Amino acid sequence: MLSTHWYPMQEMNRLRNEVDRLFGRYGNGTSRPAAVAAFPLLNMWEDDDVLCVEAELPGFNLDDLEIYVTGGNQLSVSGERKQLERQGGVWHRQERGFGKFQRTFELPWNVDCDKVSATFEHGILSIAMPKSAESKPRRIEVKAN
Amino acid sequence: MTTTMSTAEKQSADVSKSETTYQSTFIPRFDIWEGDEELTLFGDLPGVAVDDLDIRFENRELTLHGKVTPRFGGEYLYSEYGIGDFHRTFAIGEAIDGEKIYAEIHGGVLTVHLPKTEKLKPRKIEVKAN
């Protein structure tokens, strides 16, 4: 779809991502504005061995969520939230929204696709992705002569 | 029905306590449905435990207070949403029986049931044939 609109926020994010990629940075510890209309919002942290991603998905059923890790560094989360069924009555307010979503996200490290695990509790999806061997920090032994 | 929202800057009343209080980091989203028997509120509160919730009904106002415990104490690599306190107030009309309000939380969604008082429920009027 062609669009003549200019979205300064998107432009800023794009520029920032470009610069970050150029310098090999991934927004260390800084909070970045989410992409426009991104859903779900993600938080990510790591230790030496594991990369963890968390997303808030209240009111979703586990059966309606799909998680893929492809190519070692692409995380894709998709799913659907059903509309609440109510017989008769009136909706005075509907802020929560429903429907389908999909989000694909580039990971800063390669991960071991076979060992990815996920839990879903209280509407929080937590994905633990063990880093692949080449992504882990390696301690270099220094031998004294 | 009108709804009022607290400002993000509004500090919770227990600031003086030694525990850490977080500023309101998000405004939970709600759906409000009205049937013949009750008014029902559905709110998205992911990661909120029952003990972290404080729901009060006074002076025709339903106030929801909550504290979301951070699930990670280290430095984020990437962070798009905050975790912390939230606060929301709804003005409730005269038609609700305050004694009978009850709430439940499942899968990060809070449901608050506000039953209507007897006198306001729709009543079918019998028409007798002579």
Side-chain angles (χ1 to χ4, degrees), chain A residues 26-27 29 31-32 41-46 54 58-59 81 86 88-90 92-96 103 122 124, chain B residues 3 28-35 42-44 46-47 71-72 75-81 88 107-109:
Chain A
Y26 288 94
S31 176
R32 290 208 254 173
L41 298 180
L42 304 173
N43 281 356
M44 181 164 64
W45 64 91
E46 65 173 342
E54 203 179 66
R81 181 155 81 170
R86 277 282 172 277
V90 195
H92 287 291
R93 182 183 287 267
Q94 284 187 289
E95 301 170 348
R96 294 172 62 246
R103 185 162 184 198
H122 305 308
I124 304 281
Chain B
T3 307
R29 294 174 174 212
F30 274 84
D31 290 349
I32 300 169
W33 177 82
E34 183 178 348
F42 304 92
D44 279 347
R71 296 177 287 272
F72 170 67
E75 228 179 49
Y76 283 104
L77 206 61
Y78 191 92
S79 155
E80 289 180 344
Y81 65 86
R88 196 153 176 189
V109 179

Side-chain angles (χ1 to χ4, degrees), chain A residues 58-106:
Chain A
F60 285 80
N61 295 321
L62 193 53
D63 300 342
D64 299 328
L65 290 176
E66 283 196 345
I67 305 153
Y68 289 102
V69 178
T70 46
N73 71 340
Q74 286 254 317
L75 171 70
S76 161
V77 184
S78 62
E80 182 177 9
R81 181 155 81 170
K82 306 272 197 304
Q83 190 176 11
L84 287 164
E85 294 287 328
R86 277 282 172 277
Q87 293 301 315
V90 195
W91 287 100
H92 287 291
R93 182 183 287 267
Q94 284 187 289
E95 301 170 348
R96 294 172 62 246
F98 55 89
K100 292 184 177 172
F101 75 89
Q102 176 171 16
R103 185 162 184 198
T104 306
F105 191 83
E106 196 176 320

Side-chain angles (χ1 to χ4, degrees), chain B residues 9-22:
Chain B
E9 290 76 34
K10 191 168 176 179
Q11 289 286 329
S12 43
D14 53 2
V15 171
S16 54
K17 285 186 192 168
S18 58
E19 64 185 66
T20 335
T21 48
Y22 297 89

Side-chain angles (χ1 to χ4, degrees), chain B residues 61-125:
Chain B
E61 270 199 347
L62 184 79
T63 310
L64 301 118
H65 254 302
K67 199 186 285 319
V68 185
T69 317
R71 296 177 287 272
F72 170 67
E75 228 179 49
Y76 283 104
L77 206 61
Y78 191 92
S79 155
E80 289 180 344
Y81 65 86
I83 292 170
D85 290 11
F86 60 87
H87 175 144
R88 196 153 176 189
T89 304
F90 297 95
I92 305 291
E94 293 293 310
I96 299 300
D97 187 343
E99 293 296 313
K100 291 183 179 161
I101 297 173
Y102 65 103
E104 55 202 312
I105 190 161
H106 302 290
V109 179
L110 173 76
T111 309
V112 187
H113 301 271
L114 302 118
K116 291 183 178 177
T117 47
E118 289 298 324
K119 64 174 193 278
L120 278 138
K121 287 180 188 170
R123 204 159 52 87
K124 194 172 186 305
I125 313 294

